Amino acid sequence: FTLFGLVINNFLVGMILIVLGLLSMFVGASVALTQNDIKRLIAFQSVAQIGFMLLAVGVGFSVMDSPSFQVFGLRAMEGGVFHLVNHAIYDALLFFSAGAVFYAIGTTDMRKMGGLAHKMPLAALFFLFGAFAISGLPPLNGFASKILIYESVYAVSPVLSAVAILVSILTLASFMKAFYSAFLGPVPAGTIRPIPRTMLFAMFVLVLFVVFFGLFPGLVVDILVKPAVSALVSCTSYIGVIGGV
C-alpha cells in the first residue's frame, strides 16, 4: 500500500487481518500440540505468534478512521510490532536450543529424546526461557508485548482477547510437552555430544535480550516500536524520509 499509494478501506483490511490472525493462531497452536518433531513444533508455534501480530495490527486498522484509534488502536499496533521484535528474539532462542539438541544426539524426534537436562542443563534452561517467553509468561519479553495486545484487543471485543489468552495457554502446553519429552525422564541410549561453548554463548545472549525486553518494555517501545508504528500509520512522512524529501 505504501509503494503504490492505493486508497484502501481501513476497516475492511482490519477485518481481513483479524480473521487471518485468528486462523493462524488456532491452526498453529493446535497443530503444534500434535507434533513429535521439535523443530516442526517450534515452526507451527511461529505461525501462531504471527497470528498475534496480524490480530493486533488488524484491530488497529479496523478503528483507524475513528476516534478510538488514538485510544486503543494505536496501542494495538504497537503491541503487534513489539511482538514481532520479541518473536525474532525468543524464536531464535528456541530454534538454537533445538539445534543444540540435534547437535548432541543427532535427531529432532522427541520420541527418541529424554533426560537431556542431565547432560546439557544450560541448554535445557535456555529452552525454558524461550518456552516461557513465547507463552507470554512474565517477566519475559513475550508477556510485555502480549499484554499490550490483550488490553487493546479487549477494547474491541473481550472474545478476541479471550481467544488470544487461550492460544497462549495452548502454546505453554505444547512447549511443556516438548520440554518433558526432550529434557526430563531417563537419559536416551547412545552417544551425547557435549554442546560447544559458542552455541551456549549465542543462546545466553538471546536470553539476556528476552529478559531485558521484558523488564524494560517502555524503553524498547519508545525507542524502537513507536517510530515504526508512526511510519506504518503516516505513510506520507515515511516516504518523505526514505526519498530524502
Side-chain angles (χ1 to χ4, degrees):
F1 302 126
T2 303
L3 180 63
F4 296 106
L6 299 178
V7 177
I8 60 175
N9 185 318
N10 289 322
F11 179 77
L12 178 60
V13 171
M15 289 297 103
I16 293 173
L17 290 177
I18 288 173
V19 171
L20 290 177
L22 291 174
L23 288 173
S24 298
M25 291 161 65
F26 261 118
V27 171
S30 300
V31 177
L33 278 171
T34 66
Q35 298 305 306
N36 292 312
D37 186 289
I38 192 169
K39 289 198 303 181
R40 287 177 62 85
L41 184 149
I42 298 170
F44 277 111
Q45 283 296 347
S46 297
V47 173
Q49 300 311 304
I50 292 172
F52 277 90
M53 304 170 206
L54 291 175
L55 174 64
V57 175
V59 167
F61 266 111
S62 69
V63 297
M64 186 173 287
D65 299 323
S66 71
S68 300
F69 179 72
Q70 294 298 329
V71 179
F72 58 84
L74 195 61
R75 191 172 180 83
M77 284 192 161
E78 290 174 358
V81 173
F82 190 20
H83 199 60
L84 184 148
V85 175
N86 287 333
H87 177 72
I89 298 170
Y90 60 62
D91 210 45
L93 174 59
L94 288 167
F95 274 115
F96 279 10
S97 301
V101 170
F102 178 76
Y103 178 88
I105 62 175
T107 182
T108 56
D109 190 339
M110 292 186 290
R111 293 169 295 187
K112 299 178 181 178
M113 299 178 187
L116 295 179
H118 300 287
K119 299 293 184 178
M120 38 195 295
L122 285 179
L125 179 63
F126 295 156
F127 181 86
L128 267 184
F129 269 96
F132 289 160
I134 195 174
S135 302
L137 297 186
L140 304 179
N141 64 342
F143 171 79
S145 51
K146 281 189 174 183
I147 196 67
L148 287 177
I149 297 174
Y150 296 153
E151 291 176 349
S152 55
V153 168
Y154 184 88
V156 174
S157 170
V159 174
L160 292 179
S161 185
V163 170
I165 294 172
L166 174 61
V167 171
S168 291
I169 294 172
L170 293 177
T171 299
L172 180 62
S174 64
F175 276 103
M176 289 303 95
K177 165 195 169 185
F179 182 79
Y180 176 82
S181 300
F183 296 103
L184 301 182
V187 179
T191 303
I192 299 179
R193 300 171 66 187
I195 305 299
R197 292 182 179 179
T198 50
M199 281 188 175
L200 294 173
F201 178 75
M203 289 187 282
F204 175 70
V205 170
L206 289 171
V207 167
L208 292 180
F209 278 103
V210 164
V211 174
F212 180 83
F213 280 32
L215 293 178
F216 304 99
L219 184 65
V220 179
V221 169
D222 290 340
I223 295 176
L224 294 178
V225 176
K226 286 186 177 180
V229 173
S230 177
L232 181 65
V233 174
S234 306
C235 295
T236 303
S237 61
Y238 173 76
I239 294 171
V241 172
I242 297 300
V245 178

